[in-house]
Amino acid sequence: MTQASARSADEINLADQEIFLRGEAHDLFRILRRERPVHWSAPAASALSGFWSITKLDDVVQISRNPELFISGHGITMQSPQGSTQIQNNPILSGRMMISTDPPDHVRLRRLVNKGFTPRAVRSLEPHIREITTGIIDDVAARGSCDFVTDVAAQLPLAVICELMGIDRQYWQLMFELTNRVLGSSDAEYQTEGDTVGTIEAARATAMQGWGRMFEHFMNMIEERKAQPRQDLVGILVNADIDGEQLSLGDILQFCALLVIAGNETTRNAISGGMLALAQHPEEKQRLIDHPELIDTAVEEILRWTSPVAHMARVATRDIEIRGQRIREGERVVMWYGSVNRDEDYFEDPYRFDITRSPNDHLAFGIGEHFCLGAGFARLEIKVMFQELLRRLPDITTAGPPELLRSNFIAGIKHLPVEYTPER
Amino acid sequence: MRVRVDPDRCEGNLRCQNAAPEVFEVRDDLSHVLLDDVPEALRHKVERAIRLCPRQAIDWLRA
């Protein structure tokens, strides 16, 4: 029996990545919101610890706004971090990654780079982002068909984050491949040769290999910038000073990895998922073509609809009740953004894709201490991409079903065939 | 009623200005409070700004 046909909340376990591969998660979220909005999944054979699934918007806001009570330092996915002594003794792995730090470290790390991500900074790059987008569409416009994910959606966020970081153009494709291996390690397509494809061991080996190659690359970039200072994000991290203290090599490497992963694997899926949603709702697509001024609310609806980050996790630092359910100190809570962004208490007719939806206070970027640093870039990239696409290739639509990523962390689309009248 | 914006947390996301333009103005990536005393009529708008601020940078200043 598949879990989608599960009648009760007891039978649901969102650790099962097949649910997401088959696109059944939303049906299960609906059951959980109704029957068991704070839902326990027992430890599974795959060495996962048990975890609480949080599926209502109010609860995710409360957890996110209490970063001392619900901490990120013990890992931000439903998987617990492995062997802590092994990590403590490794100078790279022991580096701090902003996304899994807590107050007061988190704000200190964030302030090193956040001026580069403010609305003003983002706005100043709009002409350049439009130029990149034009180039991406130029490359496919005459063809009449392409793989929307790899040829279009992936290319824009990849170019933007790589330029911000100062990664040479010849390595952009490598970065695309490595971030796929790290975040898509459970998907056979990204598992490297020689692994026993499809097993947990293969997933671990793939992720480790991706991290290793990434760190190797950043190590070289750091050395270059120590020899000759540069003003890109990697250069800023190399020269960073927090109250007279430098970042460790591990800190810098972790920061670089976070930037390239978060810059790459999220907006890509918002753009791909947005294309899919517009193809599945041709009347909404036509409305956007006829009324380009609706683009801003359309972007918000695409973000709500796709919720590219499927979950983030926190660990409780003391016993606490949520909706009358006792969460014990040390237990993990998993916040499902795809669910809260269809919470009936906040979104009228939540399963309707409506490019004029208002209000639309979705949590696709999270909220509070760890609110997505790159939200401004994500919004602008999605906006410019659909403005240019619908202007130049207005009849673009899907030519086959999407291939989904096997992951319960990233709501990913690996491939999406599209067709359109070739541009002359 | 007095409201304050924590400049260390604010990242100029504009949500407060959109929710309560009478009270908040974002200049140079930082939200500024325009009124020393928020009238009762604007309480709801400010509450909404507090709720929507992605960085939790806004709060009432308790006397």
Side-chain angles (χ1 to χ4, degrees):
Chain A
M1 185 181 86
T2 66
Q3 293 199 47
S5 57
R7 293 271 148 75
S8 79
D10 289 327
E11 296 165 82
I12 294 171
N13 189 338
L14 295 169
D16 175 5
Q17 313 215 52
E18 297 297 319
I19 293 170
F20 297 82
L21 186 61
R22 290 192 301 255
E24 294 170 354
H26 283 300
D27 293 331
L28 302 182
F29 289 149
R30 199 197 307 237
I31 295 171
L32 290 182
R33 282 197 305 274
R34 192 179 56 222
E35 289 180 18
R36 193 102 39 97
V38 181
H39 169 269
W40 176 251
S41 290
S46 54
L48 280 168
S49 50
F51 61 92
W52 293 98
S53 279
I54 310 295
T55 48
K56 295 289 281 181
L57 188 141
D58 275 340
D59 299 336
V60 166
V61 169
Q62 285 315 309
I63 290 166
S64 305
R65 284 180 175 274
N66 282 289
E68 272 108 2
L69 182 50
F70 294 100
I71 60 170
S72 299
H74 291 179
I76 47 99
T77 68
M78 68 161 62
Q79 253 111 357
S80 316
Q82 314 158 330
S84 56
T85 52
Q86 185 195 336
I87 289 173
Q88 277 159 21
N89 295 330
N90 183 313
I92 292 173
L93 298 180
S94 66
R96 292 169 295 176
M97 188 184 269
M98 182 173 64
I99 199 168
S100 38
T101 58
D102 293 298
D105 269 8
H106 175 260
V107 170
R108 289 187 192 134
L109 289 170
R110 188 166 173 122
R111 283 171 60 188
L112 294 175
V113 294
N114 67 3
K115 288 295 170 234
F117 293 84
T118 62
R120 197 166 47 150
V122 170
R123 229 179 3 254
S124 73
L125 283 172
E126 175 163 350
H128 184 52
I129 287 175
R130 200 168 295 277
E131 191 184 346
I132 298 171
T133 306
T134 298
I136 292 165
I137 299 176
D138 285 346
D139 285 346
V140 299
R143 278 198 244 158
S145 67
C146 67
D147 179 341
F148 189 81
V149 177
T150 54
D151 292 333
V152 179
Q155 296 301 323
L156 181 58
L158 178 67
V160 172
I161 193 64
C162 286
E163 283 190 5
L164 286 173
M165 293 179 73
I167 298 171
D168 289 340
R169 187 164 198 143
Q170 57 180 313
Y171 299 114
W172 292 4
Q173 186 59 28
L174 175 68
M175 289 300 141
F176 174 74
E177 285 164 20
L178 296 180
T179 60
N180 279 341
R181 275 178 222 170
V182 168
L183 282 197
S185 64
S186 296
D187 192 293
E189 179 171 338
Y190 302 124
Q191 292 180 351
T192 33
E193 256 181 282
D195 300 324
T196 350
V197 168
T199 63
I200 291 167
E201 290 70 31
R204 285 214 182 103
T206 302
M208 285 304 283
Q209 196 258 11
W211 286 113
R213 295 274 311 271
M214 216 183 273
F215 287 144
E216 216 172 279
H217 187 87
F218 291 130
M219 200 85 93
N220 291 333
M221 287 180 68
I222 291 164
E223 288 308 316
E224 282 167 18
R225 281 153 186 77
K226 278 183 177 160
Q228 194 170 11
R230 282 175 60 172
Q231 281 311 302
D232 50 42
L233 282 173
V234 178
I236 288 171
L237 294 172
V238 167
N239 289 319
D241 187 299
I242 304 179
D243 308 327
E245 237 179 277
Q246 302 267 292
L247 293 180
S248 71
L249 178 62
D251 288 344
I252 302 173
L253 287 169
Q254 296 282 354
F255 218 131
C256 291
L258 173 62
L259 289 167
V260 77
I261 292 169
N264 237 298
E265 293 281 334
T266 50
T267 310
R268 176 203 307 172
N269 291 306
I271 295 173
S272 304
M275 179 68 243
L276 182 61
L278 290 169
Q280 288 170 339
H281 301 87
E283 69 298 339
E284 291 297 284
K285 177 165 168 267
Q286 192 56 47
R287 195 147 73 118
L288 188 51
I289 291 169
D290 296 340
H291 298 280
E293 72 278 10
L294 298 178
I295 188 67
D296 289 321
T297 49
V299 168
E300 296 308 310
E301 183 66 344
I302 286 169
L303 285 162
R304 182 189 78 89
W305 191 256
T306 57
S307 301
V309 175
H311 80 255
M312 285 282 164
R314 302 286 185 261
V315 169
T317 54
R318 61 172 168 81
D319 290 7
I320 179 137
E321 274 192 11
I322 305 179
R323 259 174 225 274
Q325 181 63 60
R326 177 74 159 276
I327 311 282
R328 293 188 185 280
E329 179 185 341
E331 286 179 342
R332 191 167 291 262
V333 295
V334 175
M335 304 178 283
W336 294 100
Y337 298 108
S339 176
V340 304
N341 287 340
R342 282 170 174 73
D343 186 336
E344 294 79 0
D345 291 350
Y346 279 88
F347 302 97
E348 203 187 315
D349 204 356
Y351 289 83
R352 196 161 74 88
F353 180 73
D354 174 3
I355 62 162
T356 58
R357 182 178 290 278
S358 176
N360 188 355
D361 301 325
H362 63 76
L363 296 186
F365 295 118
I367 193 163
E369 189 75 20
H370 291 274
F371 175 73
C372 176
L373 182 64
F377 278 111
R379 286 188 159 113
L380 183 61
E381 289 170 23
I382 299 165
K383 174 178 173 170
V384 171
M385 178 56 83
F386 283 106
Q387 282 177 327
E388 295 301 316
L389 263 181
L390 296 182
R391 191 172 62 78
R392 293 180 58 183
L393 308 172
D395 66 352
I396 189 168
T397 192
T398 49
E403 268 185 61
L404 302 182
L405 179 69
R406 187 174 185 276
S407 169
N408 59 17
F409 182 59
I410 294 292
I413 302 178
K414 292 188 297 178
H415 303 287
L416 181 66
V418 292
E419 57 191 11
Y420 41 89
T421 306
E423 197 178 62
R424 289 190 292 158
Chain B
M1 291 181 296
R2 295 183 65 190
V3 68
R4 87 165 225 138
V5 173
D6 180 345
D8 286 341
R9 305 191 62 85
C10 175
E11 290 174 352
N13 285 294
L14 294 164
R15 303 300 292 272
C16 55
Q17 185 180 302
N18 294 338
E22 303 88 343
V23 184
F24 303 98
E25 184 181 37
V26 177
R27 292 190 304 267
D28 300 336
D29 292 332
L30 193 62
S31 174
H32 299 262
V33 177
L34 301 173
L35 303 178
D36 283 341
D37 185 32
V38 177
E40 181 59 35
L42 291 175
R43 177 202 283 271
H44 273 306
K45 285 189 171 185
V46 172
E47 291 286 355
R48 183 170 158 81
I50 290 172
R51 183 168 68 80
L52 291 182
C53 174
R55 294 283 298 132
Q56 253 175 296
I58 312 171
D59 213 344
W60 293 110
L61 202 63
R62 311 284 170 200

